[in-house]
Amino acid sequence: MRRQTRALGGAGVLALILAGCGDAKPRLHRGPAPSPSQVSVAMEAKPRLVETVVGGTIGRAVADAKREYLAIFSPSGRLIDMDKNGLQYLGQGACYQRIKLIGVTTQILWAAWLTQATTPPFNVRPSGNSFVYRSLSGSVTVDPHTRLIRAAGTPALPGGVRASTAAFAYPSSISERPTPTPICP
């Protein structure tokens, strides 16, 4: 670190400290937690989202609101539902039923997680470089700088409902485009 200090000068060292580089400790956020409505606004502004779920009825979901595209896959990787160009292709056993659709939004993938985690009574606590919103129904981890959801989870419930967790990614583009075949008559 001393060599870096001499080579970079005062401004460079300040940048390293603020970015957390050259230090083994994670950078802690020292400001207020974003409100659930601020998280919603940030999430709605993101046109593309990939959600990976463990323990749920879906395994992965990919959405691109700008291109009117949504694909939902089972935990085994089978295409369950696809919305594309104003049409929904819904898995009906051996074929996909085609239905007219109004539009695609990423909100279908994240809104329920946020609602569950912020249903009163809930609390918000800092955790490393994130904030965790937690209620009896679930939790959501939010990046305080981008206000985007990083991860979410729900607890196991009596009656055999398994706990589930989700990780969220925000790619600049989505290239996977499966084809739902065959189409039901």
Side-chain angles (χ1 to χ4, degrees):
M1 183 74 175
R2 241 189 201 137
R3 273 193 191 137
Q4 288 177 332
T5 304
R6 281 190 222 138
L8 296 173
V13 171
L14 180 60
L16 278 174
I17 292 169
L18 291 175
C21 299
D23 194 351
K25 296 178 185 174
R27 182 174 56 147
L28 299 177
H29 184 73
R30 299 278 187 225
S35 70
S37 62
Q38 290 172 320
V39 173
S40 289
V41 168
M43 292 296 292
E44 287 172 2
K46 279 302 207 185
R48 284 173 286 288
L49 172 65
V50 175
E51 175 185 40
T52 305
V53 181
V54 175
T57 55
I58 70 167
R60 191 165 187 276
V62 179
D64 187 337
K66 283 189 175 182
R67 293 194 173 169
E68 294 286 318
Y69 175 77
L70 170 71
I72 299 175
F73 301 91
S74 71
S76 66
R78 185 175 97 51
L79 181 65
I80 299 171
D81 180 17
M82 186 173 94
D83 303 347
K84 180 179 174 183
N85 300 328
L87 295 173
Q88 178 180 23
Y89 299 87
L90 186 59
Q92 298 292 321
C95 62
Y96 291 88
Q97 181 180 8
R98 190 173 16 206
I99 305 167
K100 184 122 173 89
L101 185 69
I102 294 173
V104 171
T105 174
T106 61
Q107 191 174 20
I108 191 171
L109 301 178
W110 60 264
W113 295 103
L114 184 60
T115 299
Q116 287 176 332
T118 58
T119 299
F122 74 95
N123 63 47
V124 182
R125 295 214 168 115
S127 177
N129 60 350
S130 302
F131 280 101
V132 178
Y133 298 71
R134 186 177 314 275
S135 75
L136 296 174
S137 302
S139 65
V140 169
T141 304
V142 174
D143 182 307
H145 304 288
T146 63
R147 299 179 175 161
L148 297 175
I149 297 173
R150 291 182 176 165
T154 57
L157 299 173
V161 177
R162 299 184 315 171
S164 61
T165 59
F168 295 85
Y170 307 92
S172 58
S173 65
I174 293 182
S175 59
E176 73 182 271
R177 305 246 185 230
T179 303
T181 56
I183 304 299
C184 298

